[in-house]
Short mmCIF file of all heavy atoms in Angstrom, two decimals:
data_model
loop_
_atom_site.label_atom_id
_atom_site.label_comp_id
_atom_site.label_asym_id
_atom_site.label_seq_id
_atom_site.Cartn_x
_atom_site.Cartn_y
_atom_site.Cartn_z
N ASP A 480 11.40 -5.41 -29.94
CA ASP A 480 12.29 -4.80 -29.00
C ASP A 480 11.59 -4.08 -27.86
O ASP A 480 11.93 -4.28 -26.74
CB ASP A 480 13.30 -3.99 -29.68
CG ASP A 480 14.31 -4.75 -30.58
OD1 ASP A 480 14.30 -5.95 -30.41
OD2 ASP A 480 15.00 -4.10 -31.34
N ARG A 481 10.51 -3.32 -28.19
CA ARG A 481 9.94 -2.48 -27.20
C ARG A 481 9.04 -3.41 -26.23
O ARG A 481 8.85 -3.07 -25.09
CB ARG A 481 9.11 -1.38 -27.89
CG ARG A 481 10.00 -0.29 -28.46
CD ARG A 481 9.23 0.84 -29.15
NE ARG A 481 10.07 1.85 -29.50
CZ ARG A 481 9.73 3.01 -30.18
NH1 ARG A 481 8.54 3.15 -30.62
NH2 ARG A 481 10.56 4.00 -30.44
N LEU A 482 8.42 -4.37 -26.90
CA LEU A 482 7.61 -5.35 -26.06
C LEU A 482 8.58 -6.05 -25.08
O LEU A 482 8.27 -6.18 -23.84
CB LEU A 482 6.86 -6.27 -26.83
CG LEU A 482 5.73 -5.75 -27.68
CD1 LEU A 482 5.30 -6.77 -28.69
CD2 LEU A 482 4.59 -5.38 -26.75
N ARG A 483 9.70 -6.50 -25.54
CA ARG A 483 10.68 -7.13 -24.61
C ARG A 483 11.22 -6.13 -23.58
O ARG A 483 11.35 -6.55 -22.37
CB ARG A 483 11.87 -7.63 -25.47
CG ARG A 483 11.47 -8.95 -26.26
CD ARG A 483 12.55 -9.41 -27.13
NE ARG A 483 12.20 -10.74 -27.73
CZ ARG A 483 12.82 -11.21 -28.85
NH1 ARG A 483 13.75 -10.48 -29.53
NH2 ARG A 483 12.46 -12.31 -29.29
N ALA A 484 11.48 -4.91 -23.96
CA ALA A 484 11.89 -3.91 -22.97
C ALA A 484 10.86 -3.70 -21.93
O ALA A 484 11.15 -3.30 -20.75
CB ALA A 484 12.16 -2.56 -23.66
N ALA A 485 9.56 -3.89 -22.27
CA ALA A 485 8.53 -3.71 -21.27
C ALA A 485 8.31 -5.04 -20.38
O ALA A 485 7.40 -5.13 -19.55
CB ALA A 485 7.16 -3.47 -21.97
N GLY A 486 9.17 -6.00 -20.65
CA GLY A 486 9.15 -7.19 -19.84
C GLY A 486 8.26 -8.33 -20.32
O GLY A 486 7.98 -9.30 -19.64
N ILE A 487 7.81 -8.19 -21.58
CA ILE A 487 6.93 -9.19 -22.17
C ILE A 487 7.75 -10.12 -23.11
O ILE A 487 8.43 -9.72 -23.99
CB ILE A 487 5.92 -8.56 -23.07
CG1 ILE A 487 5.01 -7.61 -22.23
CG2 ILE A 487 4.99 -9.54 -23.76
CD1 ILE A 487 4.03 -6.81 -22.96
N PRO A 488 7.74 -11.50 -22.86
CA PRO A 488 8.56 -12.38 -23.72
C PRO A 488 7.89 -12.38 -25.06
O PRO A 488 6.64 -12.45 -25.24
CB PRO A 488 8.37 -13.72 -22.97
CG PRO A 488 7.98 -13.43 -21.63
CD PRO A 488 7.15 -12.11 -21.65
N VAL A 489 8.72 -12.36 -26.10
CA VAL A 489 8.27 -12.46 -27.48
C VAL A 489 8.99 -13.59 -28.21
O VAL A 489 10.13 -13.75 -28.21
CB VAL A 489 8.56 -11.10 -28.20
CG1 VAL A 489 7.95 -11.18 -29.63
CG2 VAL A 489 7.94 -9.97 -27.50
N TRP A 490 8.19 -14.41 -28.74
CA TRP A 490 8.74 -15.62 -29.61
C TRP A 490 8.67 -15.16 -31.08
O TRP A 490 7.52 -15.02 -31.55
CB TRP A 490 7.88 -16.84 -29.31
CG TRP A 490 8.53 -18.08 -29.94
CD1 TRP A 490 8.09 -18.58 -31.21
CD2 TRP A 490 9.50 -18.84 -29.48
NE1 TRP A 490 8.81 -19.72 -31.41
CE2 TRP A 490 9.59 -20.01 -30.34
CE3 TRP A 490 10.22 -18.95 -28.23
CZ2 TRP A 490 10.58 -20.99 -30.21
CZ3 TRP A 490 11.12 -19.90 -28.04
CH2 TRP A 490 11.29 -21.01 -29.04
N VAL A 491 9.70 -15.13 -31.74
CA VAL A 491 9.74 -14.68 -33.17
C VAL A 491 9.95 -15.93 -34.04
O VAL A 491 10.98 -16.64 -33.87
CB VAL A 491 10.92 -13.63 -33.38
CG1 VAL A 491 10.87 -13.21 -34.91
CG2 VAL A 491 10.62 -12.38 -32.53
N THR A 492 9.11 -16.14 -34.99
CA THR A 492 9.27 -17.21 -35.85
C THR A 492 9.97 -16.71 -37.18
O THR A 492 9.83 -15.57 -37.59
CB THR A 492 7.86 -17.80 -36.27
OG1 THR A 492 7.06 -16.78 -36.87
CG2 THR A 492 7.23 -18.40 -35.04
N VAL A 493 10.62 -17.67 -37.94
CA VAL A 493 11.11 -17.33 -39.23
C VAL A 493 10.67 -18.49 -40.12
O VAL A 493 11.06 -19.67 -39.88
CB VAL A 493 12.71 -17.32 -39.15
CG1 VAL A 493 13.22 -17.16 -40.54
CG2 VAL A 493 13.19 -16.24 -38.21
N ILE A 494 9.93 -18.15 -41.12
CA ILE A 494 9.33 -19.16 -41.93
C ILE A 494 9.39 -18.72 -43.44
O ILE A 494 8.78 -17.86 -43.87
CB ILE A 494 7.82 -19.34 -41.55
CG1 ILE A 494 7.76 -19.97 -40.20
CG2 ILE A 494 7.13 -20.29 -42.62
CD1 ILE A 494 6.31 -20.02 -39.65
N GLU A 495 10.33 -19.35 -44.14
CA GLU A 495 10.56 -19.08 -45.64
C GLU A 495 10.39 -20.33 -46.43
O GLU A 495 10.74 -20.25 -47.66
CB GLU A 495 11.97 -18.43 -45.79
CG GLU A 495 12.19 -17.10 -45.05
CD GLU A 495 13.47 -16.52 -45.26
OE1 GLU A 495 14.29 -17.15 -45.93
OE2 GLU A 495 13.68 -15.39 -44.73
N SER A 496 9.84 -21.35 -45.84
CA SER A 496 9.61 -22.66 -46.61
C SER A 496 8.72 -23.46 -45.90
O SER A 496 8.34 -23.26 -44.67
CB SER A 496 10.92 -23.43 -46.77
OG SER A 496 11.33 -23.98 -45.65
N VAL A 497 8.15 -24.53 -46.54
CA VAL A 497 7.08 -25.29 -45.96
C VAL A 497 7.85 -26.12 -44.79
O VAL A 497 7.25 -26.25 -43.68
CB VAL A 497 6.53 -26.30 -46.95
CG1 VAL A 497 5.75 -27.31 -46.22
CG2 VAL A 497 5.74 -25.55 -47.97
N ASP A 498 9.13 -26.57 -44.98
CA ASP A 498 9.75 -27.41 -43.95
C ASP A 498 10.05 -26.44 -42.74
O ASP A 498 9.92 -26.92 -41.56
CB ASP A 498 11.15 -27.94 -44.47
CG ASP A 498 10.91 -29.14 -45.40
OD1 ASP A 498 9.84 -29.69 -45.35
OD2 ASP A 498 11.77 -29.48 -46.08
N GLU A 499 10.40 -25.16 -43.01
CA GLU A 499 10.61 -24.20 -41.87
C GLU A 499 9.28 -24.07 -41.04
O GLU A 499 9.32 -23.95 -39.85
CB GLU A 499 11.21 -22.93 -42.33
CG GLU A 499 12.67 -23.02 -42.59
CD GLU A 499 13.26 -21.61 -42.91
OE1 GLU A 499 12.45 -20.65 -43.01
OE2 GLU A 499 14.47 -21.49 -43.00
N ALA A 500 8.11 -23.96 -41.82
CA ALA A 500 6.94 -23.80 -41.21
C ALA A 500 6.59 -24.99 -40.28
O ALA A 500 6.14 -24.76 -39.09
CB ALA A 500 5.76 -23.59 -42.31
N LEU A 501 6.77 -26.16 -40.80
CA LEU A 501 6.43 -27.43 -40.03
C LEU A 501 7.32 -27.42 -38.77
O LEU A 501 6.77 -27.70 -37.70
CB LEU A 501 6.64 -28.67 -40.84
CG LEU A 501 5.71 -28.76 -42.13
CD1 LEU A 501 6.23 -29.93 -43.05
CD2 LEU A 501 4.30 -28.87 -41.79
N ALA A 502 8.70 -27.20 -38.93
CA ALA A 502 9.60 -27.22 -37.80
C ALA A 502 9.22 -26.12 -36.77
O ALA A 502 9.20 -26.45 -35.53
CB ALA A 502 10.99 -27.05 -38.31
N SER A 503 8.98 -24.93 -37.23
CA SER A 503 8.77 -23.87 -36.31
C SER A 503 7.45 -24.18 -35.53
O SER A 503 7.34 -23.88 -34.32
CB SER A 503 8.58 -22.53 -37.13
OG SER A 503 8.41 -21.43 -36.28
N LEU A 504 6.43 -24.57 -36.13
CA LEU A 504 5.12 -24.82 -35.52
C LEU A 504 5.20 -26.03 -34.54
O LEU A 504 4.63 -25.97 -33.47
CB LEU A 504 4.05 -25.04 -36.59
CG LEU A 504 3.61 -23.75 -37.39
CD1 LEU A 504 2.84 -24.24 -38.66
CD2 LEU A 504 2.82 -22.86 -36.49
N ARG A 505 5.97 -27.00 -34.91
CA ARG A 505 6.15 -28.06 -33.93
C ARG A 505 6.90 -27.65 -32.68
O ARG A 505 6.47 -27.99 -31.57
CB ARG A 505 7.07 -29.22 -34.60
CG ARG A 505 6.39 -30.09 -35.66
CD ARG A 505 7.19 -31.23 -35.99
NE ARG A 505 6.55 -31.97 -37.17
CZ ARG A 505 6.95 -32.02 -38.33
NH1 ARG A 505 8.01 -31.30 -38.70
NH2 ARG A 505 6.38 -32.67 -39.28
N ARG A 506 7.89 -26.72 -32.81
CA ARG A 506 8.53 -26.17 -31.64
C ARG A 506 7.62 -25.32 -30.85
O ARG A 506 7.55 -25.44 -29.59
CB ARG A 506 9.76 -25.31 -32.08
CG ARG A 506 10.98 -26.20 -32.39
CD ARG A 506 12.26 -25.56 -31.90
NE ARG A 506 12.31 -24.22 -32.40
CZ ARG A 506 13.07 -23.27 -31.56
NH1 ARG A 506 13.64 -23.61 -30.46
NH2 ARG A 506 13.27 -22.02 -32.07
N LEU A 507 6.72 -24.50 -31.54
CA LEU A 507 5.88 -23.55 -30.72
C LEU A 507 4.88 -24.32 -29.97
O LEU A 507 4.71 -24.01 -28.81
CB LEU A 507 5.20 -22.66 -31.75
CG LEU A 507 4.21 -21.63 -31.22
CD1 LEU A 507 4.78 -20.73 -30.23
CD2 LEU A 507 3.45 -20.84 -32.25
N PHE A 508 4.29 -25.30 -30.61
CA PHE A 508 3.19 -26.02 -29.93
C PHE A 508 3.69 -27.15 -29.02
O PHE A 508 3.20 -27.36 -27.93
CB PHE A 508 2.18 -26.58 -30.95
CG PHE A 508 1.26 -25.56 -31.55
CD1 PHE A 508 1.51 -25.03 -32.76
CD2 PHE A 508 0.17 -25.06 -30.79
CE1 PHE A 508 0.74 -24.03 -33.27
CE2 PHE A 508 -0.66 -24.03 -31.35
CZ PHE A 508 -0.34 -23.51 -32.64
N GLY A 509 4.69 -27.86 -29.49
CA GLY A 509 5.10 -29.00 -28.67
C GLY A 509 6.08 -28.67 -27.58
O GLY A 509 5.90 -29.20 -26.50
#
């Protein structure tokens, strides 16, 4: 929250399974 308040975009990942990891990383990189 404080980084965002300083005007810095923050991308938060949520990874609680292998499938979530694969999907999250595909979005981040792709």
Side-chain angles (χ1 to χ4, degrees):
D480 289 345
R481 287 181 174 174
L482 287 169
R483 285 173 172 160
I487 299 173
V489 182
W490 185 267
V491 180
T492 59
V493 177
I494 295 174
E495 297 182 356
S496 68
V497 172
D498 284 344
E499 283 188 352
L501 297 173
S503 182
L504 290 165
R505 285 191 186 107
R506 281 219 307 151
L507 177 61
F508 286 100

